[in-house]
């Protein structure tokens, strides 16, 4: 840190790294109004389109009428409301674990769970491309943070073998990497955690509700639901609501209630949010949920296929997150600007969210995009990509 705040802001502007907020009108459907114009939304994590689903809205409204608008305090202070208990039971059933614990967001979950499970003298093995909230939780923990190259199992094995087996060892990974859309090799990670006596935590913010035969997430897709010690997931993405959870053994959940500071020292989720999440599980577990997952997978394949065929580097994506590598920040942001002018809202992603030189357009698909919308978006992206010399 150096110089005044004004100087730092000027430097960010000069480096093409300045961020500002855009006003979006209406709900987060597949089309939104940005700066007064309707555009196709290709940067929301509302993958199944549940954020304005009538069932979720009705349950949220009914919960407000019955339970009011706030939970009033941390649950250790003013108690667990019926809806917290009902939702935790539902999450545990969904993930096939003994228990689950709600957190107020994915960020709060990772910054609470990780420092609870690992402290001074312990070791955290973390994929280099893990989400920022995992990095922040690891730094808060005061454990030794060992970052391994992305999905590099040989490197992870060497690092596990090299560090003395004192204290606890936690291996933590995104299930679906949020900026790359590729999967962690969970079966191999389960084998490694068993061999080295570590705990395995999977942050499945982007897999839960979406991947696997019944939407249980990346661990279901890869056949290792029982091999994961802590299933972390969020409710603000595919589930169209807000909040997050750890699904784990009764012992781990009891431990988190006593040790996770973001759980202990924060007012718990309010009734409307809890009820919307419960309704989201009903939809995800219904034939409609299965149909939405199939549509999302088909949309993702169609869109990714078209752009890869045109010469874009889709960076190993196999999911509904489709990055298009651009390289430097300035052309990535120019790409975003030109697309918005044509009616397509796609975010350019820059450092510190991704490593320097790997700026990209991060396109996220929704089940509610029509094939026609996606074909038009892909055509515009290809045309502008050629114009900017990206392909
Ligand atoms: C979005 C995200 C989070 C944070 O979740 P919020 O509920 O938005 O705070 C954590 N981990 C990953 C991998 C994410 O993509």
């Amino acid at each position: 840190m150096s110089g005044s705040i004004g100087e730092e802001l000027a430097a960010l502007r000069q480096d093409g790294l300045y961020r500002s907020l855009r006003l979006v009108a209406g709900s987060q459907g597949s089309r939104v109004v940005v700066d007064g114009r309707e555009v196709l939304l290709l940067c929301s994590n509302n993958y199944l389109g549940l954020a304005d689903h009538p069932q979720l809205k009705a349950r949220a409204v009914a919960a407000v009428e019955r339970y009011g608008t706030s939970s009033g305090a941390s649950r250790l202070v003013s108690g667990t409301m019926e809806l917290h208990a009902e939702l935790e039971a539902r999450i545990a059933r969904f993930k096939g674990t003994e228990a689950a614990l709600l957190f107020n967001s994915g960020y709060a979950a990772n910054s609470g769970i990780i420092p609870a499970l690992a402290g001074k003298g312990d070791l955290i093995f973390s994929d280099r491309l893990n989400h920022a909230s995992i990095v922040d939780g690891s730094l808060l923990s005061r454990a030794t943070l060992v970052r391994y190259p992305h999905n590099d199992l040989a490197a992870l094995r060497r690092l596990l073998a090299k560090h003395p087996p004192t204290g606890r060892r936690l291996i933590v990974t995104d299930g679906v990497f949020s900026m790359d859309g590729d999967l962690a090799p969970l079966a191999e990670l389960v084998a490694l955690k068993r061999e080295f006596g570590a705990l395995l935590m999977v942050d499945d913010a982007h897999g839960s509700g979406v991947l696997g035969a019944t939407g249980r997430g990346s661990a279901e897709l890869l056949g290792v639901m029982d091999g994961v010690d802590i299933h972390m997931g969020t409710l603000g993405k595919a589930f169209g609501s807000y909040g997050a959870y750890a699904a784990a053994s009764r012992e781990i959940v009891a431990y988190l209630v006593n040790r996770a500071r973001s759980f202990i020292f924060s007012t718990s989720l309010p009734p409307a949010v809890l009820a919307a999440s419960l309704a989201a599980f009903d939809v995800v577990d219904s034939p409609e949920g299965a149909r939405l997952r199939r549509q999302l997978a088909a949309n993702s394949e169609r869109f990714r296929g078209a752009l890869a065929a045109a010469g874009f580097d889709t960076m190993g994506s196999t999911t509904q997150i489709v990055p298009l590598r651009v390289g430097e920040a300035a052309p990535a942001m120019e790409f975003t600007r030109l697309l918005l002018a044509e009616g397509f809202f796609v975010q350019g992603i820059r450092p510190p969210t991704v490593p320097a030189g790997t700026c990209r357009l991060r396109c996220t698909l929704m089940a509610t995009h029509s094939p026609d919308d996606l074909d038009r978006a892909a055509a515009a992206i290809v045309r502008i990509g050629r114009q900017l010399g990206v392909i």
Side-chain angles (χ1 to χ4, degrees):
M1 263 347 112
S2 62
S4 71
I5 289 172
E7 282 164 2
E8 252 183 66
L9 283 173
L12 284 176
R13 279 208 175 82
Q14 186 159 358
D15 296 343
L17 296 177
Y18 184 80
R19 297 165 184 232
S20 55
L21 299 167
R22 278 201 176 93
L23 186 64
V24 173
S27 66
Q28 292 267 321
S30 60
R31 286 168 189 286
V32 293
V33 175
V34 178
D35 301 333
R37 276 190 49 227
E38 187 178 278
V39 296
L40 188 70
L41 183 63
L42 279 157
C43 48
S44 169
N45 302 322
N46 176 24
Y47 300 125
L48 300 179
L50 301 191
D52 60 357
H53 192 287
Q55 229 167 294
L56 273 70
K57 290 198 283 191
R59 289 274 283 278
V61 169
V64 169
E65 294 296 347
R66 174 147 181 217
Y67 294 103
T69 50
S70 173
S71 68
S74 162
R75 287 163 60 188
L76 288 166
V77 176
S78 69
T80 286
M81 298 176 86
E82 289 164 303
L83 289 172
H84 292 116
E86 199 184 329
L87 181 54
E88 285 175 344
R90 186 69 191 254
I91 292 166
R93 190 142 49 85
F94 186 76
K95 290 289 183 177
T97 56
E98 288 176 352
L101 187 68
L102 285 164
F103 286 84
N104 290 349
S105 70
Y107 190 94
N110 284 335
S111 52
I113 297 166
I114 296 170
L117 293 175
K120 217 170 164 52
D122 297 330
L123 289 160
I124 298 171
F125 298 88
S126 175
D127 189 288
R128 269 206 178 279
L129 295 190
N130 277 344
H131 191 262
S133 56
I134 293 178
V135 177
D136 292 1
S138 302
L139 294 176
L140 266 178
S141 75
R142 302 197 298 151
T144 302
L145 175 58
V146 182
R147 298 179 79 187
Y148 59 91
H150 179 50
N151 280 349
D152 187 338
L153 294 160
L156 174 58
R157 159 180 282 287
R158 271 197 307 279
L159 291 163
L160 281 162
K162 182 179 121 185
H163 284 85
T166 54
R168 259 182 242 150
R169 302 161 159 239
L170 175 67
I171 301 173
V172 57
T173 184
D174 284 11
V176 177
F177 287 87
S178 56
M179 295 299 135
D180 293 67
D182 59 342
L183 291 165
L186 293 183
E188 294 78 0
L189 290 174
V190 168
L192 277 177
K193 77 109 191 176
R194 288 194 173 130
E195 183 181 339
F196 288 92
L199 286 171
L200 176 62
M201 169 170 167
V202 175
D203 173 345
D204 214 21
H206 298 279
S208 287
V210 170
L211 298 179
T214 62
R216 266 56 180 163
S218 54
E220 181 183 31
L221 181 67
L222 300 172
V224 292
M225 286 298 283
D226 292 337
V228 175
D229 297 293
I230 303 103
H231 295 270
M232 179 275 185
T234 64
L235 299 168
K237 291 171 179 163
F239 286 83
S241 179
Y242 190 66
Y245 56 84
S249 66
R250 250 181 237 110
E251 183 179 70
I252 287 178
V253 166
Y255 185 73
L256 293 175
V257 168
N258 284 274
R259 286 281 183 264
R261 294 171 64 86
S262 63
F263 174 82
I264 298 169
F265 295 109
S266 192
T267 302
S268 61
L269 291 172
V273 165
L274 299 167
S277 297
L278 278 162
F281 277 95
D282 286 346
V283 175
V284 164
D285 278 344
S286 73
E288 180 188 0
R291 186 160 40 74
L292 290 170
R293 281 192 293 280
R294 276 196 304 276
Q295 188 61 51
L296 177 61
N299 282 355
S300 306
E301 254 170 63
R302 181 187 191 96
F303 184 77
R304 190 180 333 100
L307 292 165
F312 277 101
D313 175 2
T314 56
M315 306 182 82
S317 158
T318 57
T319 65
Q320 75 281 4
I321 299 170
V322 181
L324 305 171
R325 185 191 282 269
V326 176
E328 296 311 312
M333 299 326 284
E334 178 67 0
F335 212 142
T336 287
R337 200 184 60 75
L338 292 171
L339 278 170
L340 193 59
E342 296 207 17
F344 304 99
F345 189 14
V346 181
Q347 276 301 351
I349 307 286
R350 300 165 279 180
T353 309
V354 295
T358 71
C359 295
R360 65 202 69 177
L361 292 187
R362 175 181 182 265
C363 309
T364 48
L365 283 292
M366 294 168 61
T368 49
H369 286 136
S370 74
D372 186 49
D373 281 341
L374 294 176
D375 291 349
R376 283 189 309 106
I381 291 170
V382 168
R383 185 159 30 75
I384 295 170
R386 289 199 180 115
Q387 185 186 323
L388 293 175
V390 173
I391 49 169

